[in-house]
Amino acid sequence: MESVALIPTLLLSLRVAPLATVCSLPFALAAAWVLARCRFPGRTLLDALVHAPLVLPPVVVGYGLLLLFGARGPLGEWLGLRLAFSTSGAVLAAAVMSFPLMVRAIRLALDTVDRGLEDAAQTLGAGWIDRFTSITLPLMMPGILAGTV
């Protein structure tokens, strides 16, 4: 009898997980790139904000999301979306909670990419997009896959 009640929960999880992954992956790639390759004032603060969902209790993160994206929250009212107790809200919460894990895995993989290979490709005339798609992205793919899992 209890296993029948678990089926809708399992189906919801199977819908939420891929959507949360797809939503947070581009932002995780960008954040990992900025944290690994750029030096700027406030970088430590950005790193702390990215990793905040890992150190804060999930209840605090959920409450913050409700305050921001709730019906009367600044972003919720502006977007006109109802996220509380909906599949979209579950996707947002899962994306926020998994985001630091994705950033961490991608950043570690990006740190292992040899910058000399990118520099050599640049001297041979490869543009930024060519270097990224033919050298950097394939070399950091294990980190991207680890982050998405």
Side-chain angles (χ1 to χ4, degrees), residues 24 33 44 47 76 125 129 134:
S24 62
W33 183 272
T44 304
D47 196 18
I129 299 279
S134 63

Side-chain angles (χ1 to χ4, degrees), residues 17 36 73 103 119 122 139:
V103 170
D119 293 341
Q122 184 177 9
L139 291 174

Side-chain angles (χ1 to χ4, degrees), residues 122-141:
Q122 184 177 9
T123 61
L124 293 172
W128 186 87
I129 299 279
D130 291 331
R131 290 191 315 262
F132 181 76
T133 56
S134 63
I135 296 170
T136 310
L137 190 61
L139 291 174
M140 62 189 270
M141 192 56 70

Side-chain angles (χ1 to χ4, degrees), residues 29-99:
L29 278 168
W33 183 272
V34 166
L35 290 172
R37 296 288 173 96
C38 300
R39 301 289 179 247
F40 57 92
R43 184 173 165 268
T44 304
L45 179 63
L46 177 63
D47 196 18
L49 288 173
V50 164
H51 289 90
L54 285 179
V55 296
L56 292 173
V59 172
V60 173
V61 176
Y63 183 66
L65 288 173
L66 279 175
L67 287 177
L68 283 173
F69 292 98
R72 294 185 185 140
L75 294 176
E77 192 173 30
W78 181 64
L79 293 172
L81 298 174
R82 183 188 170 279
L83 293 177
F85 307 106
S86 67
T87 303
S88 301
V91 169
L92 175 66
V96 166
M97 293 303 291
S98 65
F99 180 74

